[in-house]
């Protein structure tokens, strides 16, 4: 069985590009081998900053290609078409035969089965796959046409211990790998995969990213245990660092304890985001003045340690200076400075935005029974920290710094907390604001953003969402659902549009209010998918939902999904199904308004009374609706429908009675559809 080794040696590729290319290379080769019916045992893809490697184990030496029938041009096609087909397939006209299909009569060609050596197939296959790798960012260099993540320097390709010759753009494959150590460059021949890994390791290169990760974690844990540090690793940072080094070494470094006086978020951000270092916490979870640095070589002369310590201390000194200066600036007075910060050119400044959300928050406070004066203060200062030098230096800490500034200036905790929490949630499953002031400001901030961009008709497309409006809508829904909120969302959207107009923003999109509400409703699909709701239930719920109460939509959808295969759900669906099937066969325009005078059977009257009983339950205030009890009522209707169908002939000889019974069934189905659109559930 054969072994294929491919290594693409380049200049250093950034972590995310590297990870994506590694994944693509493996997927492309797997797909190609599947299409070509090439069997293998295992495929491994590795990467380091300078190497993208692929190893395939257990390849056959040859491939048997079965005969197959190929359809050619239609009979009576122009001669030129026929000639082009035979030329492309390298056959003569006598090799073709005619055959009838459901689309007419065509010429066909039957290929012969044959055996192909894998070593002859790969040289044409591999360059094609390499050209299919898609880079989010790529570059060309010199006078070459090749676009790659970083300049590609050589291609090492071996099959069954022999060099496999290919040409990829300006590069020809070689049978050696390049080892570069400072200015010393070696070219080393390799016979097989085992030797490939061995040579790299002997030169302190660990090409297997999982092995590098294991080394980093083992060294960090070893030092951590000896120093009684708490085990804490930012997994996203770890993934990035793993793909920056080839030979991971760990340094334990410290900075001056005086910097622990500033908010720990500044220190953590300095270490993680700005320097890619790991902060260290003590056994009680408190931030220490120590941190780990992952380096690409050992620090025998302590120069790397000293250099990194100086860099961190310099950054923290700047941060402390900004912190001391910024926290003394009155947040209320900073509001006017927001006029110099643009929210979006067509939508005004951040100052304009804070004035809008201040008024929106006042309106929302009535629905949520929150102190109007305090929530307006919270809205007013929600963006004030954007004026600070600290946030300009650490933009990822917007809101967080505002909270600290507010607390240091004596604002109530719930007001200060809303400054940081109103940016939440940051992702599909990340933390949401839980306190009333926090989620209220977050709600109106997101509504303001959604309405603004819809007003100027800069809406998301199927492929682009530059202003993260989908994320804003999903975040809004999560806040509503997880905090179990009921408020007049439509009124807030309408008021937001009016506030923009009052500030001089022209309404380009006249359907803004309708489209924003519908856009938010469509994002419920994402919420339901996270909850593993069945696709037919999602469609049945969303397509039938009217209004702006998305917490209710969520509650009844969850309940349907919970009971769909239980007695309650089965009874409700079966009752609806029997009625819907009869209505479908009748194929008539039916309004759902039966005349009680035309009832001839007690079962008709009983069913009519049952429908009205259910309808009455739907008319209660939304805040008082119990959707589980409503679903049980729908389920309990089965007895009435069963008695109706067992004892009543819908297709009565009297046309008026027949039509009236159809109207009764339509009324029944329409009542059920007030819950969700039962017709869209599978099996109906």
């Amino acid at each position: 069985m054969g072994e294929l080794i491919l290594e693409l040696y380049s200049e250093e590729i950034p972590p995310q590009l590297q990870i994506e290319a590694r994944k693509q290379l493996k997927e492309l080769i797997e797909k190609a081998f599947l299409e070509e019916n090439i069997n293998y045992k295992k495929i491994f893809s590795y990467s380091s900053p300078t190497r993208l490697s692929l190893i395939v184990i257990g390849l056959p030496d040859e491939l048997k290609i079965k005969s197959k029938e190929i359809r050619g041009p239609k009979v009576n096609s122009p001669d030129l078409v026929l000639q082009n087909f035979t030329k492309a397939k390298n056959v003569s006209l006598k090799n073709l035969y005619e055959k009838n299909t459901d689309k007419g009569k065509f010429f066909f060609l039957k290929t012969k089965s044959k055996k192909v050596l894998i070593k002859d197939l790969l040289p044409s296959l591999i360059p094609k796959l390499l050209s299919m790798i898609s880079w989010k960012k790529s570059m060309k260099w010199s006078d070459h046409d090749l676009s790659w993540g970083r300049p590609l320097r050589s291609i090492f390709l071996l099959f069954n211990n022999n060099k496999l010759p290919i040409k990829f753009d300006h590069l020809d494959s070689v049978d050696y790998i390049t080892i570069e150590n400072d200015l010393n460059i070696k070219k080393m021949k390799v016979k097989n995969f085992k030797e490939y890994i061995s040579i790299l390791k002997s030169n302190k290169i660990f090409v297997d990213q999982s092995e590098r990760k294991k080394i980093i974690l083992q060294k960090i844990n070893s030092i951590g245990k000896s120093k009684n540090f708490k085990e804490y690793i930012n997994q996203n940072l770890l993934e990035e660092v793993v793909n920056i080094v080839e030979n991971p070494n760990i340094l334990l470094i410290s900075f001056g304890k005086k910097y622990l006086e500033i908010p720990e978020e500044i220190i953590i951000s300095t270490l993680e985001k700005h320097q890619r270092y790991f902060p260290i916490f003590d056994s009680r979870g408190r931030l220490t003045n120590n941190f780990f640095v992952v380096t690409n070589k050992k620090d025998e002369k302590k120069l790397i340690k000293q250099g990194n310590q100086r860099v961190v201390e310099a950054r923290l000194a700047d941060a402390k200076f900004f912190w001391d200066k910024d926290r003394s600036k009155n947040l209320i007075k900073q509001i006017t400075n927001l006029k110099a910060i643009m929210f979006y050119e067509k939508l005004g400044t951040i100052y304009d935005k804070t004035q809008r959300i201040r008024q929106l928050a006042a309106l929302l406070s009535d629905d949520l029974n929150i102190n109007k004066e305090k929530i307006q203060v919270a809205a007013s200062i929600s963006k004030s920290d954007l004026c600070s030098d600290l946030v300009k230096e650490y933009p990822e800490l917007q809101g967080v710094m505002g909270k600290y500034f507010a607390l240091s200036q004596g604002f109530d905790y719930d007001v200060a907390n809303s400054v940081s929490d109103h940016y939440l949630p940051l992702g599909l499953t990340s933390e949401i604001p839980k306190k009333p002031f926090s989620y209220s400001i977050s709600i109106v901030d997101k509504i303001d953003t959604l309405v603004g961009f819809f007003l100027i008709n800069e809406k998301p497309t199927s492929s682009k969402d530059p202003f993260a409006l989908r994320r804003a809508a999903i975040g809004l829904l999560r806040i509503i659902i997880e905090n179990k909120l009921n408020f007049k969302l439509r009124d807030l959207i309408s008021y937001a549009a009016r506030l923009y107009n009052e500030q001089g923003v022209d309404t380009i999109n006249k359907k803004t209010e309708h489209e924003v509400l519908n856009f938010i409703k469509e994002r419920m699909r994402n919420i339901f998918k996270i909850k593993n709701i069945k696709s037919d239930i999602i469609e049945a719920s969303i397509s039938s939902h009217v209004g702006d109460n998305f917490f209710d939509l969520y509650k009844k959808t969850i309940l349907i999904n919970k009971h769909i295969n239980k007695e309650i759900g089965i009874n409700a669906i079966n009752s609806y199904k029997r009625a819907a099937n009869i209505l479908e066969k009748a194929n008539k325009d039916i309004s759902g308004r039966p005349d009680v005078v035309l009832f001839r059977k007690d079962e008709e009257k009983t069913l009519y009374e049952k429908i009205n009983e259910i309808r009455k339950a739907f008319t209660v205030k939304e805040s008082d609706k119990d959707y589980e009890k409503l679903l049980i009522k729908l389920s309990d209707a089965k007895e009435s429908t069963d008695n109706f169908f067992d004892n009543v002939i819908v297709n009565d000889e009297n046309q008026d009675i027949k039509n009236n019974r159809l109207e009764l069934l339509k009324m029944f189905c329409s009542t059920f559809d007030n819950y969700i659109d039962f017709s869209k559930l599978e099996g109906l």
Side-chain angles (χ1 to χ4, degrees):
M1 300 298 281
E3 178 183 86
L4 174 71
I5 309 174
L6 168 67
E7 181 197 81
L8 302 154
Y9 181 66
S10 68
E11 302 292 341
E12 289 194 10
I13 299 176
Q16 289 308 315
L17 291 182
Q18 185 193 135
I19 293 167
E20 183 59 29
R22 180 175 77 213
K23 178 183 174 185
Q24 284 187 60
L25 183 60
K26 185 172 185 286
E27 290 175 349
L28 285 167
I29 201 83
E30 286 173 338
K31 184 180 178 183
F33 281 3
L34 181 64
E35 290 173 352
E36 297 287 345
N37 293 314
I38 300 174
N39 296 318
Y40 57 89
K41 286 185 179 178
K42 291 180 180 178
I43 291 182
F44 302 99
S45 64
Y46 302 129
S47 73
S48 71
T50 59
R51 300 172 202 275
L52 186 58
S53 307
L54 183 89
I55 293 88
V56 186
I57 296 171
L59 280 168
D61 291 328
E62 62 180 24
L63 175 67
K64 185 177 180 181
I65 300 176
K66 296 178 181 179
S67 66
K68 60 181 178 180
E69 194 175 54
I70 301 173
R71 191 174 78 177
K74 203 168 188 177
V75 174
N76 298 325
S77 294
D79 291 342
L80 183 60
V81 174
L82 197 57
Q83 289 170 14
N84 289 338
F85 175 73
T86 55
K87 185 178 180 181
K89 300 301 178 184
N90 197 26
V91 295
S92 63
L93 286 171
K94 66 180 182 180
N95 296 118
L96 305 182
Y97 56 92
E98 297 178 10
K99 185 177 176 181
N100 285 316
T101 71
D102 55 354
K103 294 183 179 180
K105 185 180 282 189
F106 287 81
F107 285 109
F108 279 82
L109 166 68
K110 191 163 188 178
T111 64
K112 294 180 180 180
S113 62
K114 59 179 179 179
K115 291 183 179 179
V116 177
L117 293 175
I118 294 294
K119 70 174 185 177
D120 295 333
L121 183 62
L122 291 174
S124 61
L125 183 64
I126 290 175
K128 180 182 174 183
L129 297 179
L130 295 182
S131 67
M132 293 169 67
I133 293 177
S134 173
W135 301 90
K136 286 185 178 178
K137 290 183 179 179
S138 62
M139 55 173 65
K140 293 183 180 181
W141 59 99
S142 187
D143 56 351
H144 306 305
D145 293 327
L146 177 63
S147 289
W148 203 253
R150 290 296 184 270
L152 187 60
R153 296 166 64 179
S154 74
I155 301 172
F156 166 69
L157 187 58
L158 214 64
F159 179 67
N160 276 354
N161 306 335
N162 295 307
K163 172 186 170 182
L164 195 64
I166 68 165
K167 186 171 183 63
F168 181 54
D169 200 81
H170 62 286
L171 292 170
D172 294 308
S173 59
V174 297
D175 60 352
Y176 57 83
I177 60 174
T178 302
I179 306 293
E180 190 169 355
N181 186 6
D182 294 327
L183 297 177
N184 183 28
I185 299 175
K186 296 184 289 186
K187 295 180 178 179
M188 306 185 71
K189 294 248 182 177
V190 174
K191 293 179 182 178
N192 52 47
F193 173 52
K194 185 177 180 181
E195 189 173 89
Y196 172 73
I197 295 295
S198 177
I199 289 174
L200 289 176
K201 283 187 178 180
S202 67
N203 285 276
K204 297 182 173 55
I205 297 170
F206 295 84
V207 74
D208 183 349
Q209 59 278 355
S210 61
E211 188 173 2
R212 296 197 301 273
K213 186 175 184 178
K214 187 177 179 181
I215 291 169
I216 292 171
L217 288 174
Q218 283 177 340
K219 290 183 177 181
I220 285 178
N221 290 337
S222 176
I223 297 171
K225 284 181 181 178
S226 68
K227 301 286 186 179
N228 201 26
F229 295 146
K230 181 181 180 181
E231 286 189 19
Y232 165 79
I233 293 290
N234 181 322
Q235 293 301 317
N236 291 331
L237 177 61
L238 176 63
E239 192 67 23
E240 185 177 7
V241 169
V242 163
N243 293 285
I244 291 175
V245 295
E246 290 182 326
N247 177 32
N249 288 276
I250 305 298
L251 302 180
L252 175 62
I253 308 177
S254 62
F255 55 83
K257 285 189 175 182
K258 64 181 179 180
Y259 295 114
L260 291 175
E261 296 171 5
I262 64 178
E264 69 174 32
E265 289 89 345
I266 299 175
I267 299 171
I268 293 170
S269 186
T270 297
L271 296 174
E272 291 187 343
K273 293 188 178 294
H274 293 256
Q275 298 299 129
R276 297 191 181 101
Y277 302 158
F278 294 91
I280 298 175
F281 299 82
D282 65 20
S283 58
R284 294 168 62 184
R286 297 173 302 185
L287 182 68
T288 72
N289 65 319
N290 301 296
F291 59 95
F292 289 120
V293 176
V294 181
T295 67
N296 210 27
K297 57 174 67 177
K298 290 187 177 179
D299 187 25
E300 294 171 353
K301 296 182 179 180
K302 310 295 182 185
L303 296 176
I304 299 175
K305 181 176 182 178
Q306 291 171 16
N308 282 286
Q309 186 177 35
R310 282 198 298 268
V311 168
V312 169
E313 292 225 347
R315 276 196 166 275
L316 292 179
D318 288 344
K320 187 176 186 305
F321 172 77
F322 291 141
W323 163 248
D324 290 337
K325 185 178 73 167
D326 290 336
R327 65 177 169 165
S328 64
K329 294 178 181 177
N330 188 293
L331 285 177
I332 297 293
K333 291 181 179 179
Q334 290 297 305
I335 295 172
T336 57
N337 292 332
L338 294 173
K339 293 178 180 179
I341 304 175
M342 191 62 66
F343 169 51
Y344 186 63
E345 185 180 6
K346 299 177 184 177
L347 298 175
T349 65
I350 296 292
Y351 175 83
D352 297 326
K353 184 176 180 65
T354 58
Q355 299 312 299
R356 293 191 300 269
I357 65 176
R358 182 176 180 275
Q359 291 173 270
L360 287 168
L363 179 63
L364 180 60
S365 68
D366 293 334
D367 281 347
L368 300 183
N369 196 26
I370 298 172
N371 184 295
K372 184 175 292 188
E373 184 180 347
K374 283 178 68 175
I375 200 171
Q376 286 188 299
V377 170
S380 297
I381 66 168
S382 62
K383 310 289 184 182
S384 290
D385 65 340
L386 297 179
C387 301
S388 68
D389 291 321
L390 198 51
V391 170
K392 289 173 186 174
E393 186 71 17
Y394 295 84
E396 67 275 11
L397 295 182
Q398 64 178 7
V400 174
M401 288 299 98
K403 173 183 175 179
Y404 280 109
F405 297 155
L407 287 173
S408 69
Q409 293 174 29
F411 285 90
D412 289 349
Y413 180 81
D414 49 3
V415 171
N417 197 54
S418 70
V419 178
S420 62
D421 284 2
H422 85 278
Y423 288 103
L424 302 177
L426 301 177
L428 271 176
T429 57
S430 60
E431 181 186 1
I432 66 160
K434 288 289 187 180
K435 300 290 184 181
F437 281 86
S438 296
Y439 61 61
S440 297
I441 304 299
S442 185
I443 286 168
V444 296
D445 186 30
K446 289 170 175 57
I447 289 172
D448 176 79
T449 298
L450 287 165
V451 171
F453 284 104
F454 271 77
L455 270 176
I456 60 175
N457 213 30
E458 296 201 20
K459 302 173 287 187
T461 64
S462 57
S463 59
K464 293 182 179 179
D465 185 11
F467 307 112
L469 300 186
R470 289 188 181 92
R471 187 176 71 183
I474 292 169
L476 173 63
L477 287 169
R478 284 192 59 212
I479 291 168
I480 291 170
I481 291 164
E482 293 177 41
N483 287 301
K484 302 178 181 179
L485 302 178
N486 284 311
F487 58 88
K488 300 181 182 71
L489 178 58
R490 192 190 299 273
D491 288 353
L492 278 175
I493 292 170
S494 177
Y495 190 36
R498 195 184 343 147
L499 291 172
Y500 270 107
N501 293 154
E502 289 174 1
Q503 288 183 348
V505 176
D506 293 331
T507 300
I508 297 173
N509 178 11
K510 303 297 183 184
K511 297 180 180 178
T512 290
E513 293 175 33
H514 169 75
E515 288 185 0
V516 168
L517 204 58
N518 195 54
F519 179 77
I520 295 170
K521 181 174 78 170
E522 285 299 308
R523 303 286 76 74
M524 284 295 293
R525 296 181 191 276
N526 302 79
I527 303 292
F528 290 142
K529 284 175 183 176
I530 293 172
K531 297 293 182 181
N532 296 316
I533 306 296
K534 292 177 63 181
S535 58
D536 60 314
I537 295 177
I538 294 175
E539 187 58 39
S541 297
I542 290 177
S543 64
S544 63
H545 184 72
V546 293
D548 59 356
N549 192 326
F550 295 113
F551 180 48
D552 274 10
L553 171 61
Y554 176 80
K555 285 190 293 186
K556 60 187 179 184
T557 306
I558 292 292
L559 284 167
I560 279 285
N561 193 69
K562 174 184 174 183
H563 291 291
I564 190 77
N565 294 317
K566 298 178 181 177
E567 185 179 4
I568 292 173
I570 292 169
N571 286 347
I573 291 170
N574 285 343
S575 298
Y576 184 95
K577 181 178 180 179
R578 293 185 74 177
N581 286 343
I582 291 174
L583 290 171
E584 187 178 354
K585 290 175 184 176
N587 195 24
K588 286 190 174 184
D589 185 19
I590 305 167
S591 63
R593 297 191 187 91
D595 187 346
V596 294
V597 176
L598 292 174
F599 289 158
R600 293 292 180 267
K601 295 268 192 174
D602 288 341
E603 289 80 6
E604 290 176 274
K605 298 174 185 176
T606 302
L607 181 58
Y608 182 73
E609 289 169 359
K610 188 66 177 178
I611 294 170
N612 281 318
E613 179 190 330
I614 296 170
R615 286 195 161 197
K616 185 178 179 182
F618 273 110
T619 59
V620 300
K621 287 195 309 182
E622 287 184 344
S623 57
D624 295 333
K625 280 182 184 175
D626 185 326
Y627 282 99
E628 186 145 34
K629 287 182 179 178
L630 274 170
L631 185 56
I632 291 170
K633 278 187 176 294
L634 297 181
S635 176
D636 289 345
K638 187 174 187 298
E639 182 180 353
S640 301
T641 53
D642 285 350
N643 289 335
F644 176 86
F645 289 118
D646 289 344
N647 298 288
V648 176
I649 299 172
V650 176
N651 293 321
D652 194 270
E653 293 179 358
N654 185 310
Q655 194 64 34
D656 290 336
I657 293 175
K658 173 186 174 180
N659 288 340
N660 198 58
R661 287 171 179 169
L662 290 172
E663 293 285 356
L664 179 62
L665 294 180
K666 177 67 174 179
M667 181 184 180
F668 175 82
C669 289
S670 297
T671 302
F672 268 54
D673 288 338
N674 284 324
Y675 199 92
I676 64 167
D677 187 349
F678 278 79
S679 69
K680 286 185 164 57
L681 295 177
E682 286 179 1
L684 298 182

